[in-house]
Amino acid sequence: MSIRIPGFDERTVRVGEVDLHVASGGDGPAVLLLHGFPQTHLTWRHVAPALADRFHVVCPDLPGYGASGRPDGGPEQYSKRVTAATMVGLMRVLGHDRFSLIGHDRGALVAFRAALDHPAAIDRLGVIDVIPTVDMWASLNGVNGVFAFHLHLLAQPTDLPERMINADPDTFFGHFFDTWATDPATIPGDVRDAYLRAACTPEAIHAICQDYRASAFVDAAHDAEDRKGGKRVQAPTLAIWQDPGDLVLPFDPQAIWRDWTTELRTLVLSGGHFLPEAQPSAVTAAIRDLIT
């Protein structure tokens, strides 16, 4: 039996040329929740039901991930600009011209791009444990790149990463669940298995690589162009990131997000990278405070 977000309906929604797998529930103002790598909408299995008492909560699988369709074409089709437009299109199909948007990891990059490109649609913005693409690449110098090796590997412009990952996809993707969560209970076995089933097919692996190629060869240029033009997020913004403990980050998340936003609040939480699953109550409370 597949795992579902309690109380949420699931369906396929056609947006442009992409079929999106969408879970939704609750009534009230709309909020869109976007997951990250290497996951699916199940990232929000704790947060979404808690928000659904006052909000209409929409949780899609991103294009290329989970049960959603995989766009044809090169990395450009996986750019955050294209995916952000698809997410805004999804919400319009569902009857929401304006909504709050919260993203984790890759989903946060899509959310950030949506807030920049579609300011009239985004009421509130939340980004969890990520910094904008152009800043991320700038921070990966010296040994800092070791800890983010997957960014370089997945972005290779040949089929090398697909061939390597297909040799043992469970070990590759499992590495991130094992090392990015400080408590193994953050992602229980059945959820881990669901994530791995979704990510470990050749088609999914290729789509994920295209997503990361887009970050290297498309998204960073979009960010740089907007920075040069002085473009900033107009929506009130919440940035959450993990407490790094004894590790010294090669960047200052607060300073970076302050430069990109006009109104910023921040929160630092323990529990590793998968904060919507490791700290669902704290994440839910912060989102609720932002969008209420």
Side-chain angles (χ1 to χ4, degrees):
M1 179 181 295
S2 62
I3 304 171
R4 301 171 68 98
I5 296 178
F8 274 47
D9 296 324
E10 296 189 18
R11 57 174 161 157
T12 299
V13 179
R14 184 77 168 178
V15 181
E17 300 300 317
V18 181
D19 288 328
L20 298 176
H21 181 77
V22 180
S24 61
D27 294 309
V31 55
L32 176 63
L33 304 179
L34 302 180
H35 67 86
F37 163 92
Q39 301 180 285
T40 71
H41 72 281
L42 290 175
T43 293
W44 303 105
R45 65 191 179 278
H46 305 304
V47 174
L51 292 175
D53 65 337
R54 293 185 60 185
F55 301 96
H56 179 60
V57 184
V58 180
C59 305
D61 289 339
L62 290 170
Y65 289 79
S68 285
R70 316 194 195 286
D72 295 329
E76 296 81 6
Q77 297 305 310
Y78 288 83
S79 73
K80 305 309 162 290
R81 173 159 286 162
V82 169
T83 303
T86 299
M87 293 299 107
V88 171
L90 166 66
M91 295 303 278
R92 286 175 179 159
V93 169
L94 298 179
H96 307 294
D97 291 327
R98 188 168 175 85
F99 54 93
S100 294
L101 177 50
I102 314 295
H104 172 248
D105 187 77
R106 312 302 290 175
L109 298 178
V110 174
F112 169 59
R113 176 47 55 190
L116 288 175
D117 287 358
H118 306 274
I122 309 305
D123 186 48
R124 298 287 190 274
L125 171 68
V127 291
I128 302 176
D129 215 38
V130 82
I131 58 174
T133 302
V134 69
D135 299 294
M136 179 272 296
W137 286 115
S139 72
L140 295 180
N141 49 63
V143 298
N144 295 324
V146 172
F147 302 102
F149 77 96
H150 68 295
L151 299 175
H152 301 274
L153 173 62
L154 293 171
Q156 292 301 306
T158 70
D159 67 348
L160 176 66
E162 284 95 335
R163 295 174 67 183
M164 292 176 66
I165 297 166
N166 272 304
D168 193 351
D170 282 11
T171 296
F172 179 78
F173 291 114
H175 164 82
F176 302 102
F177 297 130
D178 294 337
T179 59
W180 287 359
T182 58
D183 181 354
T186 297
I187 302 176
D190 57 343
V191 176
R192 179 190 176 108
D193 289 345
Y195 287 152
L196 291 176
R197 285 195 304 272
C200 288
T201 68
E203 296 79 13
I205 291 167
H206 177 63
I208 289 170
C209 289
Q210 295 289 65
D211 175 24
Y212 279 82
R213 289 176 182 125
S215 283
F217 302 111
V218 185
D219 299 333
H222 290 162
D223 286 358
E225 180 181 6
D226 283 342
R227 169 168 282 161
K228 183 178 180 180
K231 198 170 186 179
R232 304 174 78 187
V233 174
Q234 299 303 306
T237 301
L238 166 69
I240 303 175
W241 60 89
Q242 63 175 299
D243 183 345
D246 295 332
L247 178 66
V248 178
L249 294 176
F251 52 83
D252 181 345
Q254 185 170 20
I256 288 171
W257 282 115
R258 186 184 298 118
D259 285 345
W260 280 105
T261 56
T262 56
E263 182 181 334
L264 177 69
R265 63 183 77 181
T266 63
L267 178 64
V268 181
L269 296 172
S270 62
H273 175 62
F274 302 112
L275 290 172
E277 294 160 287
Q279 292 271 24
S281 295
V283 169
T284 300
I287 295 172
R288 189 184 296 274
D289 187 55
L290 174 71
I291 65 179
T292 298

